[in-house]
Amino acid sequence: MASRLQERFFDHGLRILSEHGHSGLKIIPLCQSVKVTTGAFYHSFEGWRDFIDQLLEHWRVERTTRLVEAAEQNQD
């Protein structure tokens, strides 16, 4: 289960991706967006690869959950 700070990193990371693409997603702009130091990033994740792996898993779970909820609401 992700911590609140990790969730903030994920939310901001996805926003940066949507606005600036893959090339815009870097540690310093991400930390500036979250308003924390790079030390907080490295306290939350083992490194960049760990962040990316967890970000993708977060995105997959969130999207899957939304699809399931939408399907359950559809009575057809």
Side-chain angles (χ1 to χ4, degrees):
M1 180 114 166
S3 71
R4 283 188 184 177
L5 183 54
Q6 286 175 318
E7 291 285 339
R8 288 179 54 209
F9 277 114
F10 298 149
D11 292 343
H12 286 258
L14 290 171
R15 184 181 53 74
I16 290 170
L17 277 172
S18 71
E19 293 175 2
H20 304 286
H22 180 265
S23 63
L25 186 59
K26 295 178 171 59
I27 290 174
I28 291 179
L30 175 62
C31 290
Q32 289 172 338
S33 178
V34 178
K35 297 185 173 135
V36 297
T37 65
T38 56
F41 175 87
Y42 286 108
H43 182 72
S44 299
F45 304 99
E46 293 177 12
W48 188 248
R49 179 81 261 168
D50 182 43
F51 168 71
I52 295 298
D53 289 345
Q54 289 193 48
L55 176 66
L56 291 172
E57 180 63 13
H58 171 80
W59 178 82
R60 185 190 67 77
V61 169
E62 286 296 313
R63 294 295 174 185
T64 301
T65 301
R66 288 181 190 168
L67 287 172
V68 168
E69 288 172 353
E72 287 174 346
Q73 291 178 4
N74 188 354
Q75 298 297 321
D76 292 348

Coordinates of all heavy atoms in Angstrom, one line a residue:
M1 N 0.8 -1.2 0.0 CA 0.0 0.0 0.0 C 0.9 1.2 0.0 O 1.8 1.3 0.8 CB -0.9 0.0 1.2 CG -1.8 1.1 1.3 SD -3.4 0.5 1.2 CE -4.4 1.8 1.7
A2 N 0.6 2.1 -0.9 CA 1.4 3.4 -1.0 C 1.1 4.3 0.1 O 0.0 4.5 0.6 CB 1.1 4.0 -2.3
S3 N 2.1 5.0 0.5 CA 2.0 6.1 1.6 C 1.3 7.3 0.9 O 1.2 7.4 -0.3 CB 3.3 6.5 2.1 OG 4.1 7.2 1.2
R4 N 0.9 8.2 1.7 CA 0.3 9.5 1.2 C 1.3 10.2 0.3 O 0.9 10.8 -0.7 CB -0.2 10.4 2.3 CG -1.4 9.9 3.0 CD -1.9 11.0 3.9 NE -3.1 10.5 4.7 CZ -3.7 11.2 5.6 NH1 -3.2 12.4 5.9 NH2 -4.7 10.7 6.2
L5 N 2.5 10.3 0.8 CA 3.5 11.0 0.0 C 3.7 10.3 -1.4 O 3.8 10.9 -2.4 CB 4.8 11.1 0.7 CG 6.0 11.9 0.0 CD1 5.5 13.2 -0.4 CD2 7.2 11.9 0.9
Q6 N 3.8 8.9 -1.4 CA 3.9 8.2 -2.6 C 2.7 8.5 -3.5 O 2.9 8.7 -4.7 CB 4.1 6.7 -2.4 CG 5.4 6.3 -1.8 CD 5.5 4.8 -1.4 OE1 4.5 4.3 -0.9 NE2 6.6 4.2 -1.7
E7 N 1.5 8.5 -3.0 CA 0.4 8.8 -3.8 C 0.5 10.2 -4.4 O 0.1 10.4 -5.6 CB -0.9 8.8 -2.9 CG -1.3 7.4 -2.4 CD -1.9 6.5 -3.5 OE1 -2.4 7.1 -4.5 OE2 -1.9 5.3 -3.4
R8 N 1.0 11.2 -3.7 CA 1.2 12.5 -4.2 C 2.2 12.5 -5.4 O 2.0 13.1 -6.4 CB 1.7 13.5 -3.1 CG 0.6 13.8 -2.1 CD 1.1 14.8 -1.0 NE 1.7 16.0 -1.5 CZ 2.7 16.6 -0.9 NH1 3.1 16.2 0.3 NH2 3.2 17.7 -1.4
F9 N 3.3 11.7 -5.2 CA 4.3 11.6 -6.3 C 3.6 11.0 -7.5 O 3.8 11.4 -8.6 CB 5.4 10.7 -5.9 CG 6.5 11.4 -5.1 CD1 6.8 11.1 -3.8 CD2 7.3 12.4 -5.8 CE1 7.8 11.8 -3.1 CE2 8.3 13.1 -5.1 CZ 8.6 12.8 -3.8
F10 N 2.7 9.9 -7.3 CA 2.1 9.3 -8.4 C 1.1 10.3 -9.1 O 1.1 10.4 -10.4 CB 1.3 8.1 -8.0 CG 2.1 7.0 -7.4 CD1 1.6 6.2 -6.4 CD2 3.4 6.7 -7.8 CE1 2.3 5.1 -5.8 CE2 4.2 5.7 -7.2 CZ 3.6 4.9 -6.3
D11 N 0.3 11.0 -8.4 CA -0.6 12.0 -8.9 C 0.1 13.0 -9.7 O -0.3 13.3 -10.9 CB -1.5 12.6 -7.8 CG -2.5 11.6 -7.2 OD1 -2.7 10.6 -7.8 OD2 -3.0 12.0 -6.1
H12 N 1.1 13.6 -9.2 CA 1.9 14.6 -9.9 C 2.6 14.0 -11.1 O 2.8 14.7 -12.1 CB 2.8 15.3 -8.9 CG 2.1 16.3 -8.0 ND1 2.1 17.6 -8.1 CD2 1.4 16.0 -6.8 CE1 1.4 18.2 -7.1 NE2 1.0 17.2 -6.4
G13 N 3.2 12.8 -10.9 CA 3.9 12.2 -12.0 C 2.9 12.0 -13.2 O 3.3 12.2 -14.4
L14 N 1.7 11.5 -13.0 CA 0.8 11.3 -14.0 C 0.4 12.6 -14.7 O 0.2 12.7 -15.9 CB -0.4 10.6 -13.5 CG -0.2 9.1 -13.2 CD1 -1.4 8.5 -12.5 CD2 0.2 8.3 -14.4
R15 N 0.2 13.7 -13.9 CA -0.1 15.0 -14.4 C 1.0 15.5 -15.3 O 0.8 16.0 -16.4 CB -0.4 16.0 -13.3 CG -0.8 17.3 -13.9 CD -1.1 18.3 -12.8 NE 0.0 18.5 -11.8 CZ 1.1 19.2 -12.1 NH1 1.3 19.7 -13.3 NH2 2.0 19.3 -11.2
I16 N 2.3 15.4 -14.8 CA 3.4 15.8 -15.6 C 3.5 15.0 -16.9 O 3.7 15.6 -18.0 CB 4.7 15.6 -14.8 CG1 4.8 16.7 -13.7 CG2 6.0 15.8 -15.7 CD1 5.9 16.5 -12.7
L17 N 3.2 13.7 -16.9 CA 3.2 12.9 -18.1 C 2.2 13.4 -19.1 O 2.4 13.5 -20.3 CB 3.0 11.4 -17.8 CG 4.2 10.6 -17.4 CD1 3.7 9.2 -16.9 CD2 5.2 10.5 -18.5
S18 N 1.0 13.7 -18.6 CA -0.1 14.1 -19.5 C 0.2 15.5 -20.1 O -0.2 15.8 -21.2 CB -1.4 14.1 -18.8 OG -1.5 15.2 -17.8
E19 N 0.9 16.4 -19.3 CA 1.1 17.7 -19.8 C 2.4 17.9 -20.6 O 2.5 18.7 -21.6 CB 1.2 18.7 -18.6 CG -0.2 18.9 -17.9 CD -0.1 19.7 -16.7 OE1 1.0 20.2 -16.4 OE2 -1.1 19.9 -16.0
H20 N 3.4 17.1 -20.3 CA 4.8 17.3 -20.9 C 5.4 16.0 -21.5 O 6.4 16.1 -22.1 CB 5.8 17.8 -19.8 CG 5.3 19.0 -19.1 ND1 5.3 20.3 -19.8 CD2 4.8 19.3 -17.9 CE1 4.9 21.2 -18.9 NE2 4.5 20.6 -17.8
G21 N 4.7 14.9 -21.4 CA 5.2 13.7 -22.0 C 6.3 13.1 -21.2 O 6.7 13.6 -20.1
H22 N 6.8 12.0 -21.7 CA 7.8 11.2 -21.0 C 9.1 12.0 -20.7 O 9.7 11.9 -19.6 CB 8.2 10.0 -21.8 CG 9.2 9.1 -21.2 ND1 10.6 9.3 -21.5 CD2 9.2 8.2 -20.2 CE1 11.3 8.4 -20.8 NE2 10.4 7.7 -20.0
S23 N 9.4 12.9 -21.6 CA 10.7 13.7 -21.5 C 10.5 14.7 -20.4 O 11.6 15.2 -19.8 CB 11.1 14.3 -22.8 OG 10.0 15.3 -23.2
G24 N 9.3 15.1 -20.0 CA 9.2 16.0 -18.9 C 9.2 15.4 -17.5 O 9.3 16.2 -16.5
L25 N 9.1 14.1 -17.4 CA 9.0 13.5 -16.1 C 10.5 13.2 -15.6 O 11.1 12.2 -16.1 CB 8.2 12.2 -16.2 CG 8.0 11.4 -14.9 CD1 7.2 12.4 -13.9 CD2 7.2 10.2 -15.1
K26 N 10.9 14.0 -14.8 CA 12.3 13.9 -14.2 C 12.1 14.2 -12.7 O 11.2 14.8 -12.2 CB 13.2 14.9 -14.8 CG 13.4 14.7 -16.3 CD 14.3 15.8 -16.9 CE 14.8 15.5 -18.2 NZ 14.1 15.3 -19.3
I27 N 13.2 13.8 -11.9 CA 13.1 13.8 -10.5 C 12.9 15.3 -10.0 O 12.0 15.5 -9.2 CB 14.3 13.2 -9.8 CG1 14.3 11.7 -10.0 CG2 14.4 13.5 -8.3 CD1 15.5 10.9 -9.5
I28 N 13.7 16.2 -10.4 CA 13.7 17.5 -9.9 C 12.3 18.2 -10.2 O 11.7 18.7 -9.3 CB 14.9 18.4 -10.3 CG1 16.1 17.8 -9.6 CG2 14.7 19.8 -10.0 CD1 17.4 18.5 -9.9
P29 N 11.9 18.2 -11.5 CA 10.5 18.8 -11.7 C 9.4 18.1 -10.9 O 8.5 18.8 -10.4 CB 10.3 18.7 -13.2 CG 11.7 18.5 -13.8 CD 12.5 17.8 -12.7
L30 N 9.5 16.8 -10.8 CA 8.5 16.1 -10.0 C 8.5 16.5 -8.5 O 7.5 16.8 -8.0 CB 8.8 14.6 -10.1 CG 7.9 13.7 -9.3 CD1 6.4 13.8 -9.7 CD2 8.4 12.2 -9.4
C31 N 9.7 16.6 -7.9 CA 9.8 17.0 -6.5 C 9.4 18.5 -6.4 O 8.7 18.8 -5.4 CB 11.3 16.9 -6.0 SG 11.7 15.1 -5.8
Q32 N 9.7 19.3 -7.3 CA 9.2 20.7 -7.3 C 7.7 20.8 -7.3 O 7.0 21.5 -6.6 CB 9.8 21.5 -8.4 CG 11.3 21.8 -8.2 CD 11.9 22.5 -9.4 OE1 11.4 22.3 -10.6 NE2 13.1 23.1 -9.2
S33 N 7.1 19.9 -8.2 CA 5.6 19.9 -8.3 C 5.0 19.4 -7.0 O 4.0 20.0 -6.5 CB 5.2 19.0 -9.4 OG 3.9 18.9 -9.5
V34 N 5.6 18.4 -6.3 CA 5.1 17.9 -5.1 C 5.4 18.8 -3.9 O 4.8 18.7 -2.8 CB 5.6 16.4 -4.8 CG1 5.1 15.8 -3.5 CG2 5.2 15.5 -6.0
K35 N 6.4 19.7 -4.1 CA 6.9 20.6 -3.1 C 7.6 19.9 -2.0 O 7.4 20.2 -0.8 CB 5.8 21.5 -2.6 CG 5.2 22.4 -3.7 CD 4.2 23.3 -3.2 CE 3.8 24.2 -4.3 NZ 2.8 24.7 -4.7
V36 N 8.5 19.0 -2.4 CA 9.4 18.3 -1.4 C 10.8 18.2 -2.0 O 11.0 18.6 -3.2 CB 8.9 16.8 -1.2 CG1 7.5 16.8 -0.5 CG2 8.9 16.0 -2.4
T37 N 11.7 17.8 -1.2 CA 13.1 17.7 -1.6 C 13.3 16.4 -2.3 O 12.5 15.4 -2.2 CB 14.1 17.8 -0.4 OG1 13.8 16.6 0.4 CG2 13.9 19.1 0.4
T38 N 14.5 16.3 -3.0 CA 14.8 15.0 -3.6 C 15.1 13.9 -2.6 O 14.9 12.8 -2.8 CB 16.0 15.1 -4.6 OG1 17.1 15.7 -3.8 CG2 15.7 16.0 -5.8
G39 N 15.5 14.4 -1.4 CA 15.6 13.4 -0.3 C 14.3 12.8 0.1 O 14.3 11.6 0.4
A40 N 13.2 13.5 0.0 CA 11.9 12.9 0.3 C 11.6 11.9 -0.8 O 11.0 10.8 -0.5 CB 10.8 14.0 0.4
F41 N 12.0 12.2 -2.0 CA 11.8 11.2 -3.1 C 12.5 9.9 -2.8 O 11.9 8.8 -2.8 CB 12.2 11.8 -4.4 CG 12.1 10.8 -5.5 CD1 11.0 10.6 -6.3 CD2 13.2 10.0 -5.9 CE1 10.9 9.7 -7.3 CE2 13.2 9.1 -6.9 CZ 12.0 8.9 -7.6
Y42 N 13.8 10.0 -2.4 CA 14.6 8.8 -2.2 C 14.2 8.1 -0.9 O 14.5 6.9 -0.7 CB 16.1 9.2 -2.3 CG 16.5 9.4 -3.7 CD1 16.9 10.7 -4.1 CD2 16.6 8.3 -4.6 CE1 17.3 10.9 -5.5 CE2 17.0 8.5 -5.9 CZ 17.3 9.8 -6.3 OH 17.7 10.0 -7.6
H43 N 13.6 8.8 0.0 CA 13.0 8.2 1.2 C 11.8 7.4 0.9 O 11.5 6.3 1.5 CB 12.7 9.2 2.3 CG 12.2 8.6 3.5 ND1 13.0 8.0 4.4 CD2 11.0 8.6 4.1 CE1 12.3 7.5 5.5 NE2 11.1 7.9 5.3
S44 N 11.1 7.8 -0.2 CA 9.8 7.1 -0.6 C 10.0 6.0 -1.6 O 9.2 5.1 -1.6 CB 8.9 8.2 -1.2 OG 8.5 9.2 -0.3
F45 N 11.1 6.1 -2.4 CA 11.4 5.1 -3.4 C 12.9 4.7 -3.4 O 13.7 5.5 -3.0 CB 11.0 5.6 -4.8 CG 9.6 6.1 -4.9 CD1 9.3 7.5 -4.8 CD2 8.6 5.2 -5.1 CE1 8.0 7.9 -4.8 CE2 7.3 5.6 -5.1 CZ 6.9 7.0 -5.0
E46 N 13.2 3.5 -3.8 CA 14.6 3.0 -3.8 C 15.4 3.8 -4.9 O 16.6 3.8 -4.8 CB 14.6 1.5 -4.0 CG 14.0 0.8 -2.9 CD 14.0 -0.7 -3.1 OE1 14.6 -1.2 -4.1 OE2 13.3 -1.4 -2.3
G47 N 14.7 4.3 -5.9 CA 15.4 5.0 -7.0 C 14.3 5.3 -8.1 O 13.1 5.0 -7.9
W48 N 14.8 5.8 -9.2 CA 14.0 6.2 -10.3 C 13.2 5.0 -10.9 O 12.0 5.0 -11.1 CB 14.8 6.9 -11.4 CG 13.9 7.5 -12.4 CD1 13.8 7.1 -13.7 CD2 13.0 8.6 -12.3 NE1 12.9 7.8 -14.4 CE2 12.3 8.8 -13.6 CE3 12.6 9.4 -11.2 CZ2 11.4 9.7 -13.8 CZ3 11.6 10.4 -11.5 CH2 11.0 10.5 -12.7
R49 N 13.9 3.9 -11.1 CA 13.3 2.7 -11.6 C 12.2 2.2 -10.7 O 11.1 1.8 -11.2 CB 14.4 1.6 -11.8 CG 13.8 0.3 -12.4 CD 13.7 0.4 -13.9 NE 12.3 0.6 -14.2 CZ 11.8 1.0 -15.4 NH1 12.6 1.1 -16.4 NH2 10.6 1.2 -15.6
D50 N 12.4 2.2 -9.4 CA 11.4 1.8 -8.5 C 10.2 2.7 -8.6 O 9.0 2.2 -8.6 CB 11.9 1.8 -7.0 CG 10.9 1.4 -6.0 OD1 10.2 0.4 -6.2 OD2 10.9 2.0 -4.9
F51 N 10.4 4.0 -8.7 CA 9.3 5.0 -8.8 C 8.5 4.6 -10.1 O 7.3 4.6 -10.1 CB 9.8 6.4 -8.9 CG 8.7 7.4 -9.3 CD1 7.6 7.7 -8.5 CD2 8.8 8.0 -10.6 CE1 6.7 8.6 -8.9 CE2 7.8 8.9 -11.0 CZ 6.7 9.1 -10.2
I52 N 9.2 4.5 -11.2 CA 8.5 4.2 -12.5 C 7.7 2.9 -12.4 O 6.5 2.9 -12.8 CB 9.5 4.2 -13.7 CG1 10.1 5.6 -13.9 CG2 8.8 3.7 -14.9 CD1 9.1 6.7 -14.2
D53 N 8.3 1.9 -11.8 CA 7.6 0.6 -11.7 C 6.3 0.8 -10.8 O 5.2 0.3 -11.2 CB 8.5 -0.5 -11.1 CG 9.6 -0.9 -12.0 OD1 9.5 -0.7 -13.2 OD2 10.5 -1.6 -11.5
Q54 N 6.4 1.5 -9.7 CA 5.3 1.7 -8.9 C 4.3 2.6 -9.5 O 3.0 2.4 -9.3 CB 5.7 2.2 -7.5 CG 6.4 1.2 -6.7 CD 6.6 1.6 -5.2 OE1 5.6 2.1 -4.6 NE2 7.8 1.5 -4.7
L55 N 4.7 3.6 -10.2 CA 3.8 4.5 -10.9 C 3.0 3.8 -11.9 O 1.7 3.9 -12.0 CB 4.6 5.6 -11.6 CG 3.8 6.6 -12.5 CD1 2.8 7.4 -11.6 CD2 4.7 7.5 -13.3
L56 N 3.6 2.9 -12.7 CA 2.9 2.1 -13.7 C 1.9 1.2 -13.0 O 0.7 1.0 -13.5 CB 3.9 1.3 -14.6 CG 4.7 2.2 -15.5 CD1 5.8 1.3 -16.2 CD2 3.8 2.9 -16.6
E57 N 2.3 0.6 -11.9 CA 1.4 -0.3 -11.2 C 0.2 0.5 -10.6 O -1.0 0.0 -10.7 CB 2.1 -1.1 -10.1 CG 1.3 -2.0 -9.3 CD 0.6 -3.2 -10.1 OE1 1.1 -3.4 -11.3 OE2 -0.3 -3.8 -9.6
H58 N 0.5 1.6 -10.1 CA -0.6 2.5 -9.6 C -1.6 2.9 -10.7 O -2.8 2.8 -10.5 CB 0.1 3.8 -9.0 CG -0.9 4.9 -8.6 ND1 -1.6 4.8 -7.5 CD2 -1.3 6.0 -9.3 CE1 -2.4 5.9 -7.4 NE2 -2.2 6.6 -8.5
W59 N -1.0 3.2 -11.8 CA -1.9 3.6 -13.0 C -2.7 2.4 -13.4 O -3.9 2.5 -13.6 CB -1.0 4.1 -14.1 CG -1.8 4.4 -15.4 CD1 -2.5 5.6 -15.6 CD2 -2.0 3.5 -16.5 NE1 -3.1 5.5 -16.9 CE2 -2.8 4.2 -17.4 CE3 -1.6 2.3 -16.8 CZ2 -3.2 3.7 -18.6 CZ3 -2.0 1.7 -18.0 CH2 -2.8 2.4 -18.9
R60 N -2.1 1.2 -13.5 CA -2.9 0.0 -13.9 C -4.0 -0.3 -12.9 O -5.1 -0.6 -13.3 CB -1.9 -1.2 -14.0 CG -2.6 -2.5 -14.5 CD -1.7 -3.7 -14.3 NE -1.5 -4.1 -12.9 CZ -2.4 -4.7 -12.2 NH1 -3.6 -5.0 -12.7 NH2 -2.1 -5.0 -10.9
V61 N -3.7 -0.3 -11.6 CA -4.7 -0.6 -10.6 C -5.8 0.5 -10.6 O -7.0 0.1 -10.6 CB -4.1 -0.7 -9.2 CG1 -5.1 -0.7 -8.1 CG2 -3.2 -1.9 -9.1
E62 N -5.5 1.7 -10.7 CA -6.5 2.8 -10.7 C -7.4 2.7 -12.0 O -8.6 2.8 -11.9 CB -5.8 4.2 -10.8 CG -5.2 4.6 -9.4 CD -6.3 4.7 -8.3 OE1 -7.3 5.4 -8.6 OE2 -6.1 4.2 -7.2
R63 N -6.8 2.4 -13.1 CA -7.6 2.3 -14.4 C -8.5 1.0 -14.3 O -9.6 1.1 -14.7 CB -6.7 2.2 -15.6 CG -6.0 3.5 -15.9 CD -6.9 4.6 -16.2 NE -6.2 5.8 -16.3 CZ -6.7 7.0 -16.5 NH1 -8.0 7.1 -16.6 NH2 -6.0 8.1 -16.6
T64 N -8.0 0.0 -13.8 CA -8.7 -1.3 -13.7 C -9.9 -1.1 -12.7 O -11.0 -1.5 -13.0 CB -7.8 -2.4 -13.2 OG1 -6.8 -2.6 -14.1 CG2 -8.6 -3.7 -13.0
T65 N -9.6 -0.4 -11.6 CA -10.7 -0.2 -10.6 C -11.8 0.7 -11.2 O -13.0 0.4 -11.1 CB -10.1 0.5 -9.4 OG1 -9.1 -0.3 -8.8 CG2 -11.2 0.8 -8.4
R66 N -11.4 1.7 -12.0 CA -12.4 2.5 -12.6 C -13.3 1.8 -13.7 O -14.5 1.9 -13.8 CB -11.8 3.7 -13.3 CG -11.3 4.7 -12.3 CD -10.6 5.9 -13.0 NE -10.0 6.8 -12.1 CZ -9.1 7.7 -12.5 NH1 -8.9 8.0 -13.7 NH2 -8.6 8.5 -11.5
L67 N -12.6 0.9 -14.4 CA -13.3 0.1 -15.4 C -14.3 -0.9 -14.7 O -15.5 -1.0 -15.2 CB -12.4 -0.7 -16.3 CG -11.6 0.1 -17.3 CD1 -10.5 -0.7 -18.0 CD2 -12.5 0.7 -18.4
V68 N -13.9 -1.5 -13.6 CA -14.8 -2.4 -12.9 C -16.0 -1.7 -12.3 O -17.1 -2.1 -12.5 CB -14.0 -3.2 -11.8 CG1 -14.9 -3.9 -10.9 CG2 -13.0 -4.1 -12.4
E69 N -15.7 -0.5 -11.8 CA -16.8 0.3 -11.2 C -17.8 0.7 -12.3 O -19.0 0.6 -12.1 CB -16.3 1.5 -10.5 CG -15.6 1.1 -9.2 CD -14.9 2.3 -8.5 OE1 -14.8 3.4 -9.1 OE2 -14.4 2.1 -7.4
A70 N -17.3 1.1 -13.4 CA -18.2 1.5 -14.5 C -19.0 0.3 -15.0 O -20.2 0.4 -15.3 CB -17.3 2.1 -15.7
A71 N -18.3 -0.9 -15.1 CA -19.0 -2.0 -15.6 C -20.1 -2.5 -14.6 O -21.2 -2.9 -15.0 CB -18.0 -3.2 -15.8
E72 N -19.8 -2.3 -13.3 CA -20.8 -2.7 -12.3 C -22.0 -1.8 -12.3 O -23.1 -2.2 -12.0 CB -20.2 -2.7 -10.9 CG -19.2 -3.9 -10.7 CD -18.5 -3.9 -9.4 OE1 -18.5 -2.8 -8.7 OE2 -17.9 -4.9 -9.1
Q73 N -21.8 -0.5 -12.7 CA -22.9 0.4 -12.8 C -23.8 0.2 -14.0 O -25.0 0.6 -14.0 CB -22.4 1.8 -12.7 CG -21.8 2.2 -11.4 CD -21.2 3.6 -11.4 OE1 -21.3 4.3 -12.4 NE2 -20.6 4.0 -10.3
N74 N -23.3 -0.4 -15.0 CA -24.0 -0.7 -16.2 C -24.9 -1.9 -16.1 O -24.4 -3.0 -15.9 CB -23.0 -0.9 -17.4 CG -23.7 -0.9 -18.7 OD1 -25.0 -1.0 -18.8 ND2 -23.0 -1.0 -19.8
Q75 N -26.2 -1.7 -16.1 CA -27.1 -2.9 -15.9 C -27.4 -3.7 -17.1 O -28.0 -4.7 -17.1 CB -28.4 -2.3 -15.3 CG -28.2 -1.6 -14.0 CD -27.7 -2.6 -12.9 OE1 -28.1 -3.7 -12.8 NE2 -26.8 -2.1 -12.1
D76 N -26.9 -3.3 -18.3 CA -27.2 -4.0 -19.5 C -26.4 -5.3 -19.6 O -25.3 -5.5 -19.3 CB -26.9 -3.1 -20.7 CG -27.8 -2.0 -20.8 OD1 -28.9 -2.0 -20.1 OD2 -27.6 -1.1 -21.6

